[in-house]
């Protein structure tokens, strides 16, 4: 069976033919055990973005998986999917063997995690952590990279920087391809039908509502006050000044900055920045922050250091 540019069966084991022929063959064998309620098992193995193996290597992995889960003497089929970003294979197997015995699925998630780690080493693939519940206490502290959640987090943050109302936020998230579910909390379903809670990416419903509230207050600040704050935050000494003139100008601007720090507008910005960008426990801080805010943080640190001296 083959669909050009979509999928291809790359390995048969103790079975053959079309879809209907395979189904008939599986059914005949599964009758050998009347106690098995779910006679068919399905395994999907996906590679990291940018990684791929030859068909022969994929067949080797399918055969190794069958041996690991003790269905290597049973009927099974391995298919390669070609129409997705990451290369992956599907293994469909009959749990019931020709001897009438069924494959034992006890601890199958742990066994699959161990199997994946073995294949990564054997084929020099990117090594990833097993599911958290199978790790030691020390390994559970290692930060995990989830590209799907990172993308959602980035989309939520960038959207919140553009809107001031929840309605506008939801519309923009839908335009990005997400389905938004709002109840006691908030969740997002992406274009692959994967559901992720907002709290899992650091943006709970209460946090989103607080950010929108702050954004509304910032928008109400007079334009002149915003421009003055921006000028102070972006201050750079004028060229051509003598050392004495530079000292006078910098002293004046430092006084202006200290005064700005006491303003309601600055405090609004400061709180908004902290909620949006300060990393949660176990997260890495974003590398794409507003340069104005980075400059302001540097000034704060320098000021604190001067006070310590």
């Amino acid at each position: 069976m083959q669909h050009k540019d979509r999928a291809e069966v790359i390995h048969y084991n103790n079975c053959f033919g079309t879809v209907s022929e395979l189904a008939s063959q599986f059914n005949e064998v599964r009758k050998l055990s009347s106690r098995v309620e779910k006679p068919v098992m399905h395994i999907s193995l996906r590679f990291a973005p940018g990684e791929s193996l030859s068909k022969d290597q994929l067949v080797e992995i399918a055969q190794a998986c069958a041996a690991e889960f003790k269905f290597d003497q049973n009927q099974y089929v391995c298919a390669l999917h070609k129409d997705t970003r990451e290369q992956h294979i599907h293994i469909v197997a009959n749990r019931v063997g020709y001897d009438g015995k069924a494959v034992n699925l006890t601890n199958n998630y742990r066994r699959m995690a161990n199997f994946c780690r073995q294949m990564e080493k054997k084929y020099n693939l990117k090594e990833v952590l097993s599911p958290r519940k199978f790790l030691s206490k020390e390994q559970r502290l290692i930060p995990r990279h989830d590209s799907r959640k990172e993308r959602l987090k980035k989309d939520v943050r960038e959207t919140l920087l553009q809107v001031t109302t929840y309605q506008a936020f939801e519309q923009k998230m839908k335009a990005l391809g997400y389905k938004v579910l709002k109840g006691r909390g908030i969740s997002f379903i992406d274009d692959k039908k994967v559901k992720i809670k907002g709290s899992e990416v650091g943006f709970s419903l209460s946090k989103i509502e607080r950010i929108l509230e702050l954004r509304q207050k910032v928008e109400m600040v007079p334009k002149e006050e915003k421009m003055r704050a921006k000028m102070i935050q972006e201050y750079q000494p004028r060229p051509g000044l003598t050392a004495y003139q530079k000292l006078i100008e910098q002293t004046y601007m430092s006084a202006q900055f200290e005064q700005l720090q006491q303003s309601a507008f600055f405090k609004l910005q400061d709180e908004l920045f902290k909620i949006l960008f300060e990393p949660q426990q176990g997260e890495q801080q974003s590398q794409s922050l507003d340069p104005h805010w980075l400059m302001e943080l540097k000034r704060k640190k320098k000021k604190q250091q001067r006070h310590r001296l």
Side-chain angles (χ1 to χ4, degrees), residues 201-231:
V201 294
F203 285 98
S204 63
L205 179 59
S206 60
K207 183 173 178 177
I208 290 172
E209 290 173 339
R210 178 56 181 162
I211 290 170
L212 293 172
E213 180 186 352
L214 290 170
R215 291 276 295 126
Q216 290 171 14
K217 290 180 179 179
V218 167
E219 287 296 311
M220 293 172 64
V221 174
K223 184 178 179 180
E224 295 77 13
E225 189 174 341
K226 291 179 184 177
M227 290 179 63
R228 178 176 175 274
K230 184 177 180 180
M231 180 193 71

Side-chain angles (χ1 to χ4, degrees), residues 34 220 252 279 292:
S34 59
M220 293 172 64
Y252 171 76
H292 302 155

Side-chain angles (χ1 to χ4, degrees), residues 88-253:
H88 68 281
I89 59 174
H90 295 271
I91 303 170
V92 180
N94 194 340
R95 285 183 60 206
V96 180
Y98 289 102
D99 58 1
K101 296 180 180 179
V103 173
N104 185 352
L105 297 181
T106 303
N107 291 324
N108 60 325
Y109 288 106
R110 184 188 296 275
R111 289 158 61 196
M112 179 54 70
N114 292 336
F115 173 75
C116 289
R117 304 297 81 77
Q118 293 170 23
M119 294 301 103
E120 288 163 359
K121 292 179 180 178
K122 181 176 180 179
Y123 293 95
N124 295 317
L125 299 170
K126 179 181 178 181
E127 294 187 25
V128 299
L129 289 173
S130 296
R132 192 175 297 276
K133 63 181 178 180
F134 302 146
L135 299 177
S136 64
K137 291 182 179 179
E138 293 75 19
Q139 288 177 314
R140 291 178 188 179
L141 298 176
I142 300 174
R144 304 174 76 94
H145 178 75
D146 187 324
S147 58
R148 189 185 301 277
K149 289 183 179 179
E150 287 299 317
R151 184 172 65 251
L152 172 60
K153 182 177 181 178
K154 177 176 177 289
D155 288 341
V156 170
R157 177 181 286 148
E158 290 183 354
T159 299
L160 288 169
L161 285 169
Q162 301 172 38
V163 301
T164 57
T165 66
Y166 177 80
Q167 290 74 17
F169 168 75
E170 190 168 306
Q171 287 175 1
K172 281 193 171 290
M173 290 300 294
K174 287 180 178 178
L176 291 173
Y178 295 97
K179 182 178 179 180
V180 184
L181 305 177
K182 181 186 176 186
R184 295 178 63 182
I186 192 167
S187 297
F188 303 89
I189 300 177
D190 65 14
D191 56 349
K192 300 297 183 183
K193 311 300 181 185
V194 176
K195 181 180 177 181
I196 303 173
K197 294 180 181 179
S199 57
E200 292 180 44
V201 294
F203 285 98
S204 63
L205 179 59
S206 60
K207 183 173 178 177
I208 290 172
E209 290 173 339
R210 178 56 181 162
I211 290 170
L212 293 172
E213 180 186 352
L214 290 170
R215 291 276 295 126
Q216 290 171 14
K217 290 180 179 179
V218 167
E219 287 296 311
M220 293 172 64
V221 174
K223 184 178 179 180
E224 295 77 13
E225 189 174 341
K226 291 179 184 177
M227 290 179 63
R228 178 176 175 274
K230 184 177 180 180
M231 180 193 71
I232 294 172
Q233 289 173 325
E234 295 179 349
Y235 161 72
Q236 291 291 337
R238 290 176 295 162
L241 296 179
T242 65
Y244 180 68
Q245 288 173 326
K246 276 186 181 180
L247 178 61
I248 292 176
E249 188 172 280
Q250 288 175 349
T251 301
Y252 171 76
M253 293 306 296

Side-chain angles (χ1 to χ4, degrees), residues 42-46 77-81 88-92:
H42 170 228
I43 295 171
S44 176
L45 297 171
R46 183 182 297 268
V77 179
C78 176
L80 167 64
H81 250 164
H88 68 281
I89 59 174
H90 295 271
I91 303 170
V92 180

